[in-house]
Amino acid sequence: MELKSFDRLVESLSKLPSVGRKSAERMVYAMLNMDEEDLKEFSESVLGLSRIHRCSICGTYTEEDICDVCKDDNRDKTTLMVVSYPKDMLAFEKSEGYDGLYHILNGAISTSKGIGIEDLNIESLFQRLDKGDIKEVILATNPNVDGETTALYLSKKLEKYDINITRLAYGLQIGSALDYTDSLTLNKALQGRHKM
């Protein structure tokens, strides 16, 4: 039985992380049981992803030129949290324990994966700091080898600025990912951050 549309969608879904062919087939079968209105809404949602791009200031995802966090006048404009990925920023936003700004690196230094300094959103971080408004930079990279390497590199580069450089407290489990950490642990780690 040849179903080109079915196979094409299975192949597309299989490109997602942690989704194998069998999982993708189950998803497509589930979609075949959706009513036409739900299927149309699902399709439009997927197409809507093409409107999403990086914020011109912090580097997170947004549909506008500048994201909601960067536009928010009520945020603390003197504190900047540096995270590896937009999902890490989202984890802190959900915890509701931080009201400063963010800078997304879009990765972490990793020799094993071939990711170097030039592959990260670091130069725009220095440009933001050159403006002189930031008084504290919180290095909130993941507590694993790549995250620690990135934090150490940044802490050395940031020494030339007249700012406090802090790192999240080690209440976080080593080897864990920020986006899987519960809100209480994130808040405790944020409160217990220390100077680098």
Side-chain angles (χ1 to χ4, degrees), residues 5-191:
S5 296
F6 182 94
D7 291 334
R8 185 172 167 215
L9 186 52
V10 167
E11 288 301 315
S12 295
L13 291 171
S14 297
K15 293 176 184 174
L16 294 171
S18 304
V19 177
R21 182 157 181 88
K22 289 287 184 194
S23 296
E25 287 174 354
R26 284 193 291 275
M27 288 182 212
V28 175
Y29 279 120
M31 288 181 212
L32 287 171
N33 289 319
M34 295 169 77
D35 64 44
E36 190 173 333
E37 191 61 37
D38 287 341
L39 195 56
K40 183 180 176 188
E41 183 180 329
F42 182 84
S43 300
E44 289 170 358
S45 297
V46 172
L47 289 173
L49 292 176
S50 64
R51 293 190 298 271
I52 297 173
H53 58 274
R54 300 278 184 185
C55 172
S56 61
I57 297 174
C58 72
T60 194
Y61 292 117
T62 182
E63 290 185 30
E64 308 293 327
D65 181 46
I66 298 172
C67 73
D68 291 341
V69 170
C70 290
K71 284 192 289 193
D72 188 348
D73 290 331
N74 295 319
R75 308 264 330 184
D76 175 3
K77 305 281 187 195
T78 65
T79 307
L80 185 67
M81 183 184 291
V82 177
V83 296
S84 297
Y85 304 100
K87 62 185 179 178
D88 301 333
M89 173 185 164
L90 183 61
F92 279 102
E93 284 299 287
K94 285 181 180 176
S95 78
E96 299 179 356
Y98 176 71
D99 69 344
L101 301 175
Y102 295 92
H103 188 84
I104 289 77
L105 297 172
N106 296 318
I109 298 168
S110 175
T111 52
S112 64
K113 296 176 186 169
I115 300 170
I117 298 150
E118 66 283 350
D119 299 312
L120 303 179
N121 184 26
I122 293 178
E123 196 56 41
S124 63
L125 170 63
F126 300 142
Q127 291 168 3
R128 291 178 79 179
L129 296 175
D130 286 338
K131 294 179 182 175
D133 299 330
I134 304 298
K135 303 298 178 214
E136 179 185 9
V137 171
I138 304 167
L139 299 176
T141 54
N142 283 318
N144 56 28
V145 173
D146 295 343
E148 289 299 313
T149 302
T150 305
L152 184 61
Y153 169 80
L154 288 174
S155 68
K156 295 294 181 199
K157 287 294 187 180
L158 298 176
E159 286 177 353
K160 68 179 183 177
Y161 295 96
D162 184 25
I163 56 174
N164 288 326
I165 304 164
T166 58
R167 180 85 171 115
L168 292 180
Y170 283 100
L172 297 170
Q173 180 181 346
I174 298 298
S176 65
L178 291 173
D179 59 326
Y180 286 105
T181 305
D182 66 281
S183 297
L184 180 62
T185 303
L186 281 177
N187 281 328
K188 290 295 182 189
L190 186 60
Q191 291 165 11

